[in-house]
């Protein structure tokens, strides 16, 4: 088999690349996807009358092109929601984000958080040019907010000392309030909608799977081959071994598999790239989904659990995103814990701890019946931004450029991003491959203009 563009992986990045290549006149393209369905991490699984996503998958639309495409794909199958996110700590629910909503916590904690924040305003600490996350959090939010939320929550999520984590990933994901917002949030509940992503959209029917399905629906028959894992890629000969299809020869390669996985099946690689591969770190999201025979509390979409004695960092009610995700009178619940990538995890033990934690948190009552239960771990869940990440990624991408290989998406690009950005990655990749846009740095000389 021979194609102009071979795309590894049929998640949103791969589907978007294929769609935009098609729009730009490149017909000879093939997506090979290991699973029996498209969508990757933005997919859904049905079990016992429930539809479960890989934890919460909510649409935050910021870019005009991304928004236009997603709205056109989902049309009337989209509802807009005002975020109802909470934090549970010291036995109290407070609104997210913690830094702007401390009202309700014990007075000593509120005082500690507010005083610490005001100190950052009146006596700002000098910060290194590239600070670690812990120093940045102390300088930005103060000691109290760092101690009560930023540190314990992020340690649970990233599973590493925060002094080794950079701040490159957080950008708009960790909002900084003003001093007056912190004060208002300590005294009133006015700040409920503070921060980015205060509203989100979500499909009315079909879970988040309806988004990749709609994108795949734009492709001609035969462009996507599901159940077709790539097992090896010869980068020199430009040929991939795909289970069920045999050898697939290509002109250009677009990788959307997690970078670590792709590099493990690609050859030959120079030593610099092998070393860089060894420096990549990630965490695995251990996502247990359960269906219970009681409706979800209407005022909550999800809850953060920063405290150590809860085995999860977040629990959400997906049936509050869409009632169609659960049978009537039932709730679909997702529970998230993280572990370092590659760590051995005793699932049964973790599951027992999660169920116990749900009971202790008051989310599960003795009388509740669990009518569905399914593990949906995301093996490469979050790319770890330690000091080694960026130099390693740069070394790998420099090599890819010499080969004309594209590696895109949240995992192919080895970054912290979201669905809209992933779709835009596919669009930009198609533009580069057709000569309409330059590569970010030194562009590969051989572009696909000839093929359009
Ligand atoms: C826990 C969690 C929560 C998230 N929540 C949100 C959210 O609320 N909002 C939001 O916008 N974004 C969210 N995201 C991010 C979102 O999931 C990603 O941005 C997006 O789905 C990434 O798509 P992708 O195509 O880059 O990667 P993937 O979806 O991982 O696609 C890669 C594809 O490659 C396939 N593959 C793997 N190995 C092989 C192989 N050997 N051969 C062939 N195919 C293979 C996989 O099956 C997969 O389909 C979340 C992510 C996680 C982990």
């Amino acid at each position: 088999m021979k194609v102009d563009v071979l795309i590894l992986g049929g998640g949103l990045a791969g589907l978007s690349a294929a769609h935009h290549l098609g729009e730009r006149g490149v017909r000879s393209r093939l997506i090979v996807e290991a699973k029996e369905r498209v969508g990757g991490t933005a997919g859904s699984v049905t079990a016992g009358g429930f539809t479960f996503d890989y934890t919460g998958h909510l649409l935050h639309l910021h870019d005009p092109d991304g928004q236009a495409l997603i709205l056109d794909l989902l049309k009337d199958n989209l509802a807009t929601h005002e975020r109802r996110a909470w934090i549970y700590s010291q036995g109290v629910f407070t609104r997210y984000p913690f830094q702007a909503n401390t009202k309700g916590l014990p007075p000593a904690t509120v005082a500690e958080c507010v005083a610490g924040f005001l100190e950052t305003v009146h006596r700002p600490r000098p910060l290194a040019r590239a600070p670690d996350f812990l120093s940045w959090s102390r300088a930005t939010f103060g000691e109290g907010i760092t101690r009560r939320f930023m540190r314990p929550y992020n340690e649970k999520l990233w599973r590493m000392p925060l002094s080794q984590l950079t701040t490159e990933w957080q950008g708009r994901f960790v909002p900084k309030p003003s001093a007056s917002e912190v004060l208002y949030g300590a005294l009133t509940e006015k700040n409920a909608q503070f921060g980015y992503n205060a509203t989100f959209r979500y499909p009315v029917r079909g879970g988040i799977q309806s988004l990749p399905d709609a994108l795949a629906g734009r492709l001609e028959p035969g462009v996507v081959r599901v159940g077709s894992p790539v097992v090896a890629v010869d980068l020199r000969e430009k040929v991939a071994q795909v289970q069920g299809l045999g050898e697939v020869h290509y002109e250009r390669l677009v990788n959307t598999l997690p970078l670590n996985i792709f590099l493990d099946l690609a050859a030959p690689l120079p030593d610099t790239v092998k070393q860089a591969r060894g420096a990549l770190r990630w965490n695995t999201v251990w996502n247990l989904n359960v269906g219970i025979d009681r409706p979800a509390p209407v005022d909550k979409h999800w809850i953060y659990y920063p405290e150590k004695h809860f085995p999860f960092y977040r629990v959400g009610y997906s049936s509050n995103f869409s009632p169609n995700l659960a049978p009537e009178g039932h709730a679909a619940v997702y529970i998230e814990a993280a572990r370092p990538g590659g760590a051995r995890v005793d699932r049964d033990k973790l599951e027992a701890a999660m169920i116990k934690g749900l009971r202790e948190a008051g989310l599960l009552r003795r009388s509740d019946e669990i009518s569905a239960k399914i593990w949906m771990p995301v093996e490469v869940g979050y790319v770890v931004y330690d000091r080694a990440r960026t130099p390693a990624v740069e070394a790998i991408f420099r090599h890819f450029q010499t080969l004309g290989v594209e590696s895109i998406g949240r995992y192919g690009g080895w970054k912290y991003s979201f669905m809209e950005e992933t779709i835009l990655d596919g669009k930009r990749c198609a533009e580069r491959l057709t000569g309409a846009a330059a590569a970010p740095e030194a562009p590969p000389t051989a572009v696909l203009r000839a093929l359009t």
Side-chain angles (χ1 to χ4, degrees):
M1 206 172 179
K2 183 160 184 358
V3 289
D4 289 344
V5 184
L6 176 62
I7 301 169
L8 307 181
L12 288 176
L15 293 169
S16 171
H19 166 67
H20 288 100
L21 280 167
E23 290 223 307
R24 306 186 72 79
V26 180
R27 297 278 153 209
S28 171
R29 64 218 191 283
L30 177 70
I31 297 178
V32 290
E33 164 57 48
K35 289 190 179 150
E36 293 296 337
R37 56 151 185 87
V38 295
T41 322
S44 314
V45 172
T46 52
F50 294 84
T51 301
F52 296 115
D53 297 343
Y54 290 85
T55 80
H57 261 81
L58 318 170
L59 284 160
H60 308 291
L61 307 180
H62 304 282
D63 176 273
D65 287 345
Q67 171 158 334
L69 176 57
I70 290 168
L71 295 186
D72 189 47
L73 285 167
L74 290 174
K75 297 201 165 62
D76 61 350
N77 187 23
L78 259 190
T80 303
H81 303 265
E82 286 212 345
R83 181 186 64 207
R84 301 192 293 270
W86 298 82
I87 292 141
Y88 187 77
S89 63
Q90 298 189 275
V92 179
F93 284 105
T94 52
R95 288 198 180 263
Y96 172 87
F98 183 89
Q99 55 269 34
N101 294 289
T102 50
K103 183 177 162 57
L105 286 164
T109 304
V110 178
E112 181 190 358
C113 292
V114 173
F117 187 88
L118 292 180
E119 218 171 298
T120 69
V121 177
H122 297 299
R123 269 197 295 272
R125 289 185 194 198
L127 254 187
R129 208 165 52 84
D132 63 81
F133 184 80
L134 187 59
S135 314
W136 173 84
S137 175
R138 285 178 170 143
T140 308
F141 301 114
E143 287 294 342
I145 291 171
T146 300
R147 189 163 86 89
R148 296 288 174 185
F149 183 75
M150 287 295 167
R151 183 173 191 166
Y153 178 75
N154 281 290
E155 279 177 350
K156 261 178 145 177
L157 175 66
W158 295 102
R159 291 278 155 182
M160 61 183 291
L162 299 185
S163 55
Q164 290 172 24
L165 191 68
T166 71
T167 56
E168 293 160 289
W169 58 277
Q170 44 86 9
R172 69 196 125 130
F173 294 104
V174 185
K176 175 167 168 108
S178 66
S180 59
E181 281 164 334
V182 169
L183 276 175
Y184 273 128
L187 300 167
T188 72
E189 287 200 3
K190 284 233 169 76
N191 287 336
Q193 296 312 320
F194 168 84
Y196 108 116
N197 291 348
T199 62
F200 62 86
R201 296 181 222 229
Y202 188 80
V204 179
R205 297 171 300 278
I208 201 61
Q209 181 72 47
S210 50
L211 176 61
D213 282 352
L215 197 46
R218 298 267 166 113
L219 304 173
E220 311 89 88
V223 171
V224 186
R225 301 293 286 258
V226 294
S228 306
V230 58
V231 291
V233 182
D234 185 329
L235 295 169
R236 193 179 289 147
E237 299 300 323
K238 295 189 169 188
V239 55
Q241 295 289 338
V242 181
Q243 213 170 291
L245 295 181
E247 287 191 350
V248 181
H249 295 260
Y250 60 82
E251 285 297 317
R252 295 297 296 267
L253 185 68
V254 177
N255 170 59
T256 74
L257 273 48
L259 204 48
N260 57 332
I261 295 175
F262 173 64
L263 290 171
D264 289 348
L265 49 82
L269 297 174
D271 287 346
T272 46
V273 173
K274 287 184 189 158
Q275 269 166 19
R277 153 69 184 92
L280 301 179
R281 301 269 174 279
W282 64 96
N283 75 11
T284 299
V285 173
W286 287 90
N287 168 213
L288 178 67
N289 287 301
V290 296
I292 56 177
D293 65 341
R294 181 165 50 88
V298 287
D299 66 331
K300 293 186 178 67
H301 284 128
W302 64 87
I303 308 156
Y304 298 91
Y305 287 87
E307 292 170 345
K308 263 207 178 107
H309 59 274
F310 290 109
F312 33 75
Y313 61 82
R314 189 166 50 186
V315 176
Y317 292 103
S318 42
S319 44
N320 277 349
F321 310 150
S322 161
N324 296 320
L325 301 187
E328 210 180 328
H330 289 64
V333 185
Y334 59 90
I335 307 143
E336 301 176 66
R339 294 288 182 275
R344 277 176 59 88
V345 171
D346 182 333
R347 257 191 219 204
D348 293 343
K349 227 169 136 182
L350 182 58
E351 183 175 313
M354 282 177 159
I355 300 292
K356 187 165 168 268
L358 288 181
R359 292 196 202 289
E360 281 169 13
L363 304 186
L364 197 62
R365 297 181 197 146
R366 291 268 161 221
S367 55
D368 288 338
E369 195 189 312
I370 296 182
S371 40
K373 192 167 62 182
I374 180 170
W375 272 106
M376 291 169 56
V378 187
E379 193 197 315
V380 181
Y382 288 81
V383 163
V384 167
Y385 280 75
D386 58 11
R387 298 271 175 211
R389 180 243 167 222
T390 300
V393 169
E394 282 170 2
I396 293 164
F397 276 73
R398 267 196 303 275
H399 182 62
F400 285 171
Q401 285 206 352
T402 66
L403 300 167
V405 168
E406 292 273 344
S407 192
I408 62 163
R410 172 165 162 128
Y411 302 108
W414 205 250
K415 59 185 176 173
Y416 188 17
S417 77
F418 51 99
M419 292 183 284
E420 184 193 51
E421 187 177 313
T422 300
I423 288 175
L424 291 171
D425 282 354
K427 178 174 186 282
R428 290 183 207 114
C429 171
E431 287 164 358
R432 287 193 297 276
L433 289 177
T434 53
E441 289 169 337
T445 44
V447 288
L448 264 190
R449 195 170 302 158
L451 299 170
T452 59

